CSV table of all heavy atoms in Angstrom, one decimal:
chain,number,residue,atom,x,y,z
K,1,VAL,N,181.8,43.6,118.4
K,1,VAL,CA,182.3,42.2,118.5
K,1,VAL,C,181.0,41.3,118.9
K,1,VAL,O,180.3,41.6,119.8
K,1,VAL,CB,183.3,42.0,119.4
K,1,VAL,CG1,183.7,40.6,119.6
K,1,VAL,CG2,184.5,42.9,119.2
K,2,VAL,N,180.7,40.2,118.0
K,2,VAL,CA,179.6,39.4,118.3
K,2,VAL,C,180.0,37.9,118.4
K,2,VAL,O,181.2,37.6,118.1
K,2,VAL,CB,178.6,39.6,117.0
K,2,VAL,CG1,178.1,40.9,117.0
K,2,VAL,CG2,179.3,39.3,115.7
K,3,PRO,N,179.2,37.1,118.9
K,3,PRO,CA,179.5,35.7,119.1
K,3,PRO,C,179.7,35.2,117.8
K,3,PRO,O,179.2,35.5,116.7
K,3,PRO,CB,178.2,35.2,119.7
K,3,PRO,CG,177.5,36.3,120.3
K,3,PRO,CD,177.8,37.5,119.5
K,4,PRO,N,180.4,34.0,117.8
K,4,PRO,CA,180.6,33.3,116.5
K,4,PRO,C,179.6,32.7,115.7
K,4,PRO,O,179.6,32.5,114.7
K,4,PRO,CB,181.8,32.2,116.8
K,4,PRO,CG,181.6,32.0,118.3
K,4,PRO,CD,181.2,33.4,118.8
K,5,GLU,N,178.4,32.5,116.6
K,5,GLU,CA,177.2,32.0,116.0
K,5,GLU,C,176.5,33.1,115.3
K,5,GLU,O,175.5,32.8,114.5
K,5,GLU,CB,176.3,31.5,117.1
K,5,GLU,CG,176.9,30.3,117.9
K,5,GLU,CD,177.8,30.7,118.9
K,5,GLU,OE1,177.9,31.9,119.3
K,5,GLU,OE2,178.6,29.8,119.5
K,6,PHE,N,176.8,34.4,115.4
K,6,PHE,CA,176.0,35.4,114.7
K,6,PHE,C,176.3,35.4,113.2
K,6,PHE,O,177.5,35.1,112.7
K,6,PHE,CB,176.5,36.8,115.3
K,6,PHE,CG,175.9,38.0,114.5
K,6,PHE,CD1,174.6,38.5,114.8
K,6,PHE,CD2,176.6,38.5,113.4
K,6,PHE,CE1,174.1,39.6,114.1
K,6,PHE,CE2,176.0,39.6,112.8
K,6,PHE,CZ,174.8,40.1,113.0
K,7,HIS,N,175.3,35.5,112.4
K,7,HIS,CA,175.4,35.6,110.9
K,7,HIS,C,174.5,36.8,110.5
K,7,HIS,O,173.3,36.8,110.8
K,7,HIS,CB,175.0,34.2,110.4
K,7,HIS,CG,175.4,34.2,108.9
K,7,HIS,ND1,174.8,34.8,107.9
K,7,HIS,CD2,176.4,33.5,108.3
K,7,HIS,CE1,175.3,34.5,106.7
K,7,HIS,NE2,176.2,33.7,106.9
K,8,SER,N,175.1,37.6,109.7
K,8,SER,CA,174.4,38.9,109.4
K,8,SER,C,173.1,38.5,108.6
K,8,SER,O,172.1,39.3,108.7
K,8,SER,CB,175.3,39.7,108.5
K,8,SER,OG,175.8,39.1,107.3
K,9,ARG,N,173.1,37.4,107.8
K,9,ARG,CA,171.9,37.1,107.1
K,9,ARG,C,171.0,36.1,107.9
K,9,ARG,O,169.9,36.4,108.0
K,9,ARG,CB,172.3,36.3,105.7
K,9,ARG,CG,171.1,36.0,105.0
K,9,ARG,CD,171.5,35.3,103.6
K,9,ARG,NE,170.4,34.6,103.0
K,9,ARG,CZ,170.6,33.9,102.0
K,9,ARG,NH1,171.7,33.4,101.7
K,9,ARG,NH2,169.5,33.3,101.5
K,10,PHE,N,171.6,35.0,108.3
K,10,PHE,CA,170.7,34.0,109.0
K,10,PHE,C,170.3,34.4,110.4
K,10,PHE,O,169.4,33.6,110.8
K,10,PHE,CB,171.5,32.7,108.9
K,10,PHE,CG,171.8,32.2,107.5
K,10,PHE,CD1,173.2,32.0,107.1
K,10,PHE,CD2,170.7,32.0,106.7
K,10,PHE,CE1,173.3,31.5,105.9
K,10,PHE,CE2,171.0,31.6,105.4
K,10,PHE,CZ,172.3,31.4,104.9
K,11,SER,N,170.9,35.3,111.0
K,11,SER,CA,170.4,35.6,112.4
K,11,SER,C,169.4,36.9,112.3
K,11,SER,O,168.9,37.2,113.4
K,11,SER,CB,171.7,36.1,113.2
K,11,SER,OG,172.6,35.1,113.5
K,12,ALA,N,169.2,37.4,111.1
K,12,ALA,CA,168.2,38.4,110.9
K,12,ALA,C,166.8,37.8,111.1
K,12,ALA,O,166.5,36.9,110.5
K,12,ALA,CB,168.3,39.0,109.6
K,13,THR,N,166.0,38.5,111.9
K,13,THR,CA,164.7,38.1,112.2
K,13,THR,C,163.6,39.1,111.4
K,13,THR,O,162.6,38.5,111.1
K,13,THR,CB,164.2,38.0,113.7
K,13,THR,OG1,164.5,39.3,114.2
K,13,THR,CG2,165.0,37.0,114.3
K,14,SER,N,163.9,40.3,111.3
K,14,SER,CA,163.1,41.1,110.4
K,14,SER,C,163.9,42.3,110.0
K,14,SER,O,164.9,42.7,110.6
K,14,SER,CB,161.9,41.6,111.3
K,14,SER,OG,162.2,42.4,112.4
K,15,LYS,N,163.3,43.1,109.0
K,15,LYS,CA,163.9,44.2,108.5
K,15,LYS,C,162.8,45.4,108.3
K,15,LYS,O,161.7,45.1,108.1
K,15,LYS,CB,164.6,43.9,107.1
K,15,LYS,CG,165.6,42.8,107.1
K,15,LYS,CD,166.1,42.5,105.8
K,15,LYS,CE,167.2,41.3,105.8
K,15,LYS,NZ,166.5,40.0,106.0
K,16,VAL,N,163.4,46.6,108.4
K,16,VAL,CA,162.5,47.7,108.2
K,16,VAL,C,162.9,48.5,106.9
K,16,VAL,O,164.0,48.9,107.0
K,16,VAL,CB,162.4,48.6,109.4
K,16,VAL,CG1,161.5,49.8,109.1
K,16,VAL,CG2,161.8,47.8,110.6
K,17,TYR,N,162.1,48.7,106.0
K,17,TYR,CA,162.4,49.6,104.8
K,17,TYR,C,161.5,50.8,104.9
K,17,TYR,O,160.3,50.6,105.3
K,17,TYR,CB,162.2,48.7,103.5
K,17,TYR,CG,163.2,47.9,103.2
K,17,TYR,CD1,163.3,46.5,103.5
K,17,TYR,CD2,164.4,48.3,102.4
K,17,TYR,CE1,164.2,45.6,103.3
K,17,TYR,CE2,165.5,47.4,102.2
K,17,TYR,CZ,165.3,46.0,102.5
K,17,TYR,OH,166.4,45.2,102.2
K,18,ALA,N,162.0,51.9,104.4
K,18,ALA,CA,161.2,53.1,104.4
K,18,ALA,C,161.1,53.6,102.8
K,18,ALA,O,162.3,53.5,102.2
K,18,ALA,CB,161.9,54.2,105.2
K,19,TYR,N,160.0,54.1,102.5
K,19,TYR,CA,159.9,54.6,101.2
K,19,TYR,C,159.3,56.0,101.3
K,19,TYR,O,158.2,56.2,101.9
K,19,TYR,CB,159.1,53.8,100.2
K,19,TYR,CG,159.3,54.1,98.7
K,19,TYR,CD1,160.0,53.4,98.0
K,19,TYR,CD2,158.7,55.3,98.2
K,19,TYR,CE1,160.3,53.7,96.6
K,19,TYR,CE2,158.9,55.6,96.9
K,19,TYR,CZ,159.8,54.9,96.2
K,19,TYR,OH,160.0,55.1,94.8
K,20,THR,N,160.0,57.0,100.7
K,20,THR,CA,159.7,58.5,100.8
K,20,THR,C,159.0,59.0,99.6
K,20,THR,O,159.6,58.9,98.4
K,20,THR,CB,160.8,59.3,101.2
K,20,THR,OG1,161.3,58.8,102.5
K,20,THR,CG2,160.3,60.7,101.4
K,21,ILE,N,157.8,59.5,99.6
K,21,ILE,CA,157.1,60.2,98.5
K,21,ILE,C,156.9,61.7,98.7
K,21,ILE,O,156.7,62.1,99.8
K,21,ILE,CB,155.6,59.6,98.4
K,21,ILE,CG1,155.8,58.1,97.9
K,21,ILE,CG2,154.8,60.4,97.5
K,21,ILE,CD1,154.4,57.4,97.7
K,22,TRP,N,157.3,62.4,97.7
K,22,TRP,CA,157.4,63.9,97.8
K,22,TRP,C,156.0,64.3,97.1
K,22,TRP,O,155.7,64.0,96.0
K,22,TRP,CB,158.5,64.4,96.9
K,22,TRP,CG,158.6,65.9,96.9
K,22,TRP,CD1,158.0,66.7,96.0
K,22,TRP,CD2,159.4,66.7,97.7
K,22,TRP,NE1,158.3,68.0,96.2
K,22,TRP,CE2,159.2,68.1,97.3
K,22,TRP,CE3,160.2,66.5,98.8
K,22,TRP,CZ2,159.7,69.2,97.9
K,22,TRP,CZ3,160.9,67.6,99.3
K,22,TRP,CH2,160.6,68.9,99.0
K,23,SER,N,155.2,65.2,97.8
K,23,SER,CA,153.9,65.5,97.3
K,23,SER,C,153.8,66.8,96.5
K,23,SER,O,152.7,67.0,95.9
K,23,SER,CB,152.8,65.6,98.5
K,23,SER,OG,153.4,66.6,99.5
K,24,GLU,N,154.8,67.7,96.6
K,24,GLU,CA,154.7,68.9,95.9
K,24,GLU,C,155.0,68.8,94.4
K,24,GLU,O,156.3,68.3,94.0
K,24,GLU,CB,155.5,70.0,96.5
K,24,GLU,CG,155.7,71.3,95.9
K,24,GLU,CD,154.3,72.0,95.5
K,24,GLU,OE1,153.5,72.2,96.5
K,24,GLU,OE2,154.0,72.1,94.4
K,25,LEU,N,154.2,69.1,93.4
K,25,LEU,CA,154.5,68.7,92.1
K,25,LEU,C,155.4,69.8,91.4
K,25,LEU,O,156.1,69.7,90.4
K,25,LEU,CB,153.2,68.7,91.4
K,25,LEU,CG,153.2,68.2,89.9
K,25,LEU,CD1,153.8,66.8,89.8
K,25,LEU,CD2,151.8,68.2,89.2
K,26,GLU,N,155.3,71.1,92.0
K,26,GLU,CA,155.9,72.2,91.2
K,26,GLU,C,157.5,72.3,91.5
K,26,GLU,O,158.1,73.0,90.8
K,26,GLU,CB,155.3,73.5,91.6
K,26,GLU,CG,153.8,73.6,91.1
K,26,GLU,CD,153.2,74.9,91.4
K,26,GLU,OE1,154.0,75.9,92.0
K,26,GLU,OE2,152.1,75.1,91.0
C-alpha cells in the first residue's frame, strides 16, 4: 500500500537492466 502521490512511472528515479551472455559455443 503506497501513498496516493506514488506513480509507478513518474515516481521512478532509476532502473537496472541485466543482460546475460553465454560464452560456451558448443
Side-chain angles (χ1 to χ4, degrees):
V1 179
V2 292
E5 296 80 16
F6 174 87
H7 193 285
S8 55
R9 179 181 171 197
F10 298 119
S11 297
T13 57
S14 70
K15 304 176 182 70
V16 176
Y17 282 92
Y19 197 98
T20 304
I21 291 181
W22 179 275
S23 62
E24 174 55 60
L25 190 59
E26 295 185 0

